Amino acid sequence: MAWDIEVIQECAVVHMNTNKVNVQNDQFFSDLHGAFDRLEKEFSELPVVLTGQGNAFSAGIDFQYSFEIFGSGDPDKIRDWYRTYRETNLRIFTYPRPTVAAVNGHAIAGGLITALDCDFRVAARKTAKFGLNEVPIGIPMPAAYVEIIKYALGDQVGALTTLRGKLYDFDEAEKLGFFHQVVTEDQLIDTAIGYARCITPDCNTAYAMSKKALKDGVMRQIQERTVALDAQLPAGMSDEGNRHAQDRRRQEIMHKR
């Protein structure tokens, strides 16, 4: 099912619904590009709110889908996986209209990065986990994502959350500055729309130009300087130690089921 796009108060509210907790796999990537194709064609003048469903914004990468690719030891497969993943994040990160993550629940690993891709983040106060736990489960953080993380959270918090890889509860995540505003669950979408409508449509060009200028340094880093670092990802993803950590994580998940 394609992601639902609902126009509310002159804002395009995108409901991610690839699967129950929006784990990120090839179908999620396809759904994301399909939604943004529609936004560009049908709602190009509107700001965007991106949200999940139930108790999850996005639980991050689909371990079964991704770990099989990493375990293949095939550099081309891993390179293709990363290229697709990178394109989805950059598509949100560079979208010229206001983008707001209405964080309705868990945002973990790649799911948190999806939220960080957005200009603003509004979260519903509820029991949930947030964090970038790639490193402790044997996944090197791509250099391009490090630049996005540092842009959104600052160097100090970006380094702490990336390297320590801890999953934080809501209060800890709020203190670290993951969100611009925290509201009750029933206020989430309305508040996110308020952020998205920070400008009137006649200021769209001013917003797009200013956003591009703000992110110019980041995009230069991503396009020119992270390429060599991320070229090493296939070897890192399939490293023997990392594969052991990935297998341990896979077993933990299966045991919980």
Side-chain angles (χ1 to χ4, degrees):
M1 181 187 298
W3 290 0
D4 177 53
I5 300 177
E6 182 181 12
V7 177
I8 305 175
Q9 299 177 40
E10 298 180 345
C11 178
V13 179
V14 181
H15 299 272
M16 300 185 292
N17 58 5
T18 297
N19 49 68
K20 187 176 179 180
V21 295
N22 284 309
V23 290
Q24 301 183 354
N25 51 30
D26 54 351
Q27 186 59 57
F28 180 93
F29 301 152
S30 177
D31 288 346
L32 188 149
H33 283 298
F36 275 80
D37 285 345
R38 283 192 63 201
L39 289 171
E40 291 174 354
K41 292 176 183 177
E42 302 174 34
F43 311 101
S44 62
E45 298 303 304
L46 299 184
V48 174
V49 168
L50 190 65
T51 195
Q53 55 189 351
N55 291 319
F57 179 79
S58 171
I61 65 169
D62 184 334
F63 289 123
Q64 182 174 352
Y65 164 76
S66 300
F67 286 175
E68 287 180 1
I69 293 174
F70 304 160
S72 72
D74 185 329
D76 290 333
K77 284 185 178 180
I78 298 172
R79 199 172 289 113
D80 287 344
W81 172 91
Y82 174 60
R83 180 167 52 248
T84 303
Y85 204 9
R86 180 180 184 273
E87 287 172 355
T88 62
N89 283 289
L90 290 181
R91 187 153 193 192
I92 303 172
F93 190 65
T94 60
Y95 195 68
R97 301 291 174 253
T99 56
V100 185
V103 184
N104 57 293
H106 305 291
I108 298 170
L112 180 57
I113 293 173
T114 298
L116 298 179
D117 290 332
C118 295
D119 300 339
F120 309 106
R121 289 166 296 286
V122 179
R125 184 177 294 281
K126 61 196 301 186
T127 301
K129 292 293 185 181
F130 309 90
L132 302 167
N133 65 337
E134 283 87 344
V135 173
I137 59 177
I139 301 176
M141 182 66 78
Y145 297 175
V146 168
E147 296 303 321
I148 292 172
I149 293 163
K150 291 192 298 182
Y151 174 85
L153 299 178
D155 289 355
Q156 185 173 3
V157 174
L160 172 69
T161 53
T162 299
L163 296 177
R164 192 176 184 199
K166 179 181 175 181
L167 292 184
Y168 300 94
D169 64 24
F170 195 98
D171 290 341
E172 292 173 314
E174 183 180 10
K175 288 177 183 177
L176 286 169
F178 284 10
F179 320 118
H180 292 91
Q181 188 170 344
V182 171
V183 296
T184 59
E185 192 169 2
D186 63 321
Q187 296 174 320
L188 179 63
I189 297 300
D190 283 344
T191 305
I193 288 172
Y195 272 82
R197 297 186 63 193
C198 59
I199 58 166
T200 53
D202 54 359
C203 297
N204 277 347
T205 297
Y207 190 94
M209 292 180 67
S210 300
K211 181 172 177 175
K212 187 173 182 179
L214 279 167
K215 297 186 175 182
D216 180 68
V218 182
M219 290 307 300
R220 285 178 183 270
Q221 287 281 91
I222 290 173
Q223 293 166 353
E224 299 171 11
R225 300 189 62 185
T226 66
V227 175
L229 290 170
D230 285 343
Q232 302 172 35
L233 282 174
M237 297 290 191
S238 55
D239 168 79
E240 183 178 353
N242 284 339
R243 288 294 301 136
H244 182 268
Q246 293 163 17
D247 288 340
R248 185 173 66 248
R249 178 57 176 159
R250 192 206 306 257
Q251 291 168 11
E252 289 171 358
I253 293 170
M254 294 190 65
H255 178 71
K256 289 178 181 178
R257 291 176 179 171

